[in-house]
Amino acid sequence: MNHHRHRMLDNLRGKVSHEALDLLEKELLRKMDVLRKLNASCGCHMWLSKGLPCACRLENYTRTGRIIQLDEIDVFWRKLDLLPCKLVDEEVDIVAELNNVRQHLEAQSPVQQKSILSKIKAVFTPKSSTKKPPIVQQNTRGRPTSKKVQERLDEAARLDQAARYSSCGEDSNVITASPKHRYDLPRHSSYVPSEGSRGTGSFVKSEKPKMQPNSSTSSKKKETRDDKVFPLIKGDEHLLCIKRFKNQIPSEFRSYISRIQDVTPDGHCGYRSVAVGLGFTEHAWPNIRRDLLLEIDHNKPRWKHVFETYNEGDFKRIRKSIEWHSVKGCDQSHWMEMPQVGLLIAQRYNIVLHVLSIEWSSTIFPLTDAPLDPRPQAITLIHVHGGHFIHAKLEGDYPMPLVNPMWSAHRSIAAKRWEEMYTPRLEHYYELMHPKSDRDKDREPSLNVIED
């Protein structure tokens, strides 16, 4: 066992720093204590915070007999300079260097000579520099017009879209429509359970979003900047997201949202949004898929029982939907499916996952483990336009959507602590959705009583 542990690092020696190798050695020792006690999750702290394989990944290497690949190590640990440091204090031959400069000047045209000499003089006499101070706009009163703001947003969105396309390569099947027409295209995203399918685990397919009708200049101003609806959102970079998604976000959460981030609609949007929620860029979506595959394979009996409770064959289908080995956009069979994949996400990262939509919202906790931190991390995904996921950041003691029924049916005794810890906020959401007047009305006896 020790021999294989040392051999596992052979491919990294001389290619990564000694500190990285020491951290991996400690994680290998930690693996024996953590993973082999009650089959617990390692928490992936090494992977998320340092970019090095964590205990569960190392366990997979041990089980398969493979060695760690270099591309599994963050580039930070691979920036090495193995050459000895040389401090050279050589004397400078000023006369010879000046002669070289003079010869170079004499070979130039008179115009170029004048230009080069002016730059040399500016080094020794900065006050004689011909550079002029920048022109400062004197009239800075008032906010920019809505037209100017919209022009800036369109330009920023265009540059962002171009950057996304270039990051995926020319052969990538990523949708690259312009910002104005981007949401005319059908969404390549995910499944979300319908209201009537809460207890069955069924789902509805994504639909083509409908564009909002054009509005006048005054209404555009109201849509793009509404501090009363989103009081925590600051900065013009969110105006375009607010305009596109405001009507898709449940009203009871709007005052708690401090950030909204859209992601590329290429079929990986759910995984992209999770990556953003964990603190990475959206381009880390392949890592999220890989993490969930490790979770589902490492605990196959558990997840097969959970997924096969309602429909036979769901375990194989869901696992296949997560597996994807290309940077290209994926088809419908590989979109994120809720709440099944949501259960995997919460369990894998030991976090709280909220899935919000105007039709149906729910909260998903880890399935087997109790909370590790007094204030655990939470990720919020919003399902918009019938088939696309975006990421939002909720702040403060926001109301929590009711717990997903699949979690309630399969959670362990230890995991019940999650629901107990957040009971006040879960009850707050219930009260918002069922006002006291409605609840009292439900308790009133019916006037149409049929007596025997």
Side-chain angles (χ1 to χ4, degrees):
M1 187 62 167
N2 292 335
H3 172 71
H4 179 260
R5 186 169 74 236
H6 290 291
R7 191 175 66 83
M8 194 188 304
L9 305 175
D10 285 349
N11 195 40
L12 307 180
R13 303 186 193 280
K15 301 176 184 177
V16 303
S17 70
H18 291 292
E19 177 69 17
L21 293 175
D22 291 341
L23 289 171
L24 287 171
E25 283 279 2
K26 293 177 182 177
E27 190 74 0
L28 281 166
L29 294 174
R30 174 175 176 265
K31 172 182 71 67
M32 299 174 66
D33 295 330
V34 176
L35 292 183
R36 296 182 181 181
K37 288 182 179 179
L38 303 178
N39 207 18
S41 171
C42 79
C44 300
H45 299 300
M46 177 81 84
W47 174 257
L48 296 175
S49 62
K50 296 182 175 63
L52 294 172
C54 56
C56 54
R57 284 176 168 76
L58 295 174
E59 193 278 337
N60 187 44
Y61 277 113
T62 303
R63 181 161 42 85
T64 58
R66 297 181 298 122
I67 62 175
I68 301 176
Q69 301 302 309
L70 190 60
D71 58 4
E72 284 284 320
I73 307 299
D74 190 272
V75 68
F76 170 81
W77 305 103
R78 291 183 273 153
K79 292 181 178 179
L80 303 177
D81 184 3
L82 302 178
L83 298 176
C85 180
K86 295 181 179 180
L87 297 177
V88 180
D89 189 12
E90 297 179 351
E91 294 183 359
V92 179
D93 190 341
I94 297 177
V95 176
E97 293 295 337
L98 288 175
N99 286 334
N100 290 334
V101 173
R102 180 178 179 180
Q103 293 175 7
H104 177 75
L105 281 171
E106 290 174 349
Q108 307 299 320
S109 64
V111 176
Q112 290 174 322
Q113 289 177 356
K114 185 177 180 181
S115 175
I116 294 173
L117 284 172
S118 66
K119 294 176 181 178
I120 295 175
K121 290 179 181 178
V123 175
F124 298 101
T125 55
K127 293 183 179 180
S128 65
S129 175
T130 59
K131 299 294 182 182
K132 297 180 180 180
I135 299 175
V136 180
Q137 181 181 354
Q138 298 300 321
N139 183 14
T140 59
R141 296 178 60 188
R143 292 170 57 184
T145 63
S146 58
K147 181 179 179 181
K148 290 290 185 183
V149 171
Q150 190 61 43
E151 288 176 355
R152 294 174 189 171
L153 291 172
D154 290 344
E155 177 64 15
R158 184 187 66 78
L159 295 173
D160 178 63
Q161 192 68 20
R164 290 176 181 174
Y165 179 79
S166 62
S167 67
C168 296
E170 295 181 358
D171 296 332
S172 175
N173 189 26
V174 177
I175 296 175
T176 57
S178 64
K180 292 183 179 180
H181 300 89
R182 186 172 168 189
Y183 292 93
D184 284 331
L185 298 173
R187 286 295 181 193
H188 299 278
S189 184
S190 317
Y191 296 102
V192 166
S194 63
E195 179 70 23
S197 62
R198 293 186 182 184
T200 62
S202 59
F203 45 80
V204 292
K205 294 184 179 180
S206 58
E207 301 170 356
K208 183 176 179 179
K210 296 181 180 180
M211 290 293 290
Q212 298 294 330
N214 293 329
S215 56
S216 62
T217 304
S218 60
S219 63
K220 281 183 179 179
K221 183 177 180 180
K222 184 177 180 181
E223 285 182 355
T224 56
R225 192 76 186 187
D226 197 339
D227 293 337
K228 294 181 179 179
V229 176
F230 295 95
L232 298 183
I233 293 183
K234 308 297 181 184
D236 292 344
E237 67 270 17
H238 295 285
L239 297 185
L240 194 60
C241 280
I242 292 175
K243 181 179 178 181
R244 286 174 172 165
F245 304 124
K246 181 174 74 172
N247 295 330
Q248 299 289 308
I249 300 174
S251 58
E252 55 269 17
F253 299 104
R254 294 175 187 174
S255 61
Y256 297 93
I257 295 178
S258 63
R259 178 188 178 194
I260 302 173
Q261 181 168 338
D262 189 16
V263 295
T264 306
D266 61 350
H268 307 296
C269 62
Y271 301 96
R272 289 177 180 272
S273 297
V274 171
V276 172
L278 291 173
F280 304 106
T281 68
E282 64 171 283
H283 303 297
W285 61 265
N287 296 340
I288 307 302
R289 285 187 181 269
R290 187 162 56 244
D291 284 352
L292 299 187
L293 284 177
L294 283 170
E295 171 62 36
I296 201 172
D297 290 341
H298 184 69
N299 300 292
K300 183 176 179 179
R302 173 198 303 159
W303 293 112
K304 189 167 185 179
H305 170 71
V306 172
F307 296 152
E308 301 274 328
T309 298
Y310 302 108
N311 297 297
E312 186 178 354
D314 271 6
F315 174 84
K316 183 177 180 180
R317 179 177 58 79
I318 292 168
R319 190 198 181 284
K320 185 177 180 181
S321 74
I322 299 171
E323 190 171 24
W324 184 258
H325 302 292
S326 171
V327 296
K328 294 183 178 180
C330 62
D331 58 26
Q332 180 175 340
S333 63
H334 292 277
W335 298 346
M336 180 180 285
E337 184 174 324
M338 288 292 182
Q340 289 90 335
V341 176
L343 290 168
L344 289 167
I345 294 169
Q347 175 69 19
R348 181 64 183 179
Y349 301 111
N350 199 253
I351 60 167
V352 181
L353 177 67
H354 303 303
V355 184
L356 311 182
S357 76
I358 54 177
E359 293 94 7
W360 184 81
S361 300
S362 71
T363 297
I364 302 174
F365 298 124
L367 205 61
T368 63
D369 301 329
L372 301 177
D373 302 314
R375 294 188 65 86
Q377 183 180 2
I379 295 178
T380 302
L381 307 184
I382 304 180
H383 196 251
V384 297
H385 295 301
H388 178 53
F389 275 123
I390 62 174
H391 171 260
K393 177 68 174 176
L394 293 175
E395 301 284 356
D397 292 331
Y398 55 87
M400 284 191 174
L402 299 181
V403 178
N404 185 271
M406 283 190 73
W407 180 85
S408 299
H410 298 283
R411 57 123 181 98
S412 68
I413 296 176
K416 193 177 188 301
R417 174 63 184 138
W418 289 93
E419 191 172 20
E420 295 171 349
M421 185 169 63
Y422 290 112
T423 295
R425 291 161 70 175
L426 293 166
E427 290 179 348
H428 183 195
Y429 176 81
Y430 179 81
E431 292 168 357
L432 289 175
M433 303 304 293
H434 304 85
K436 189 176 185 299
S437 58
D438 292 346
R439 284 178 277 152
D440 292 341
K441 194 176 298 182
D442 292 339
R443 286 194 292 266
E444 290 178 358
S446 174
L447 298 177
N448 298 323
V449 178
I450 302 176
E451 296 181 354
D452 292 336

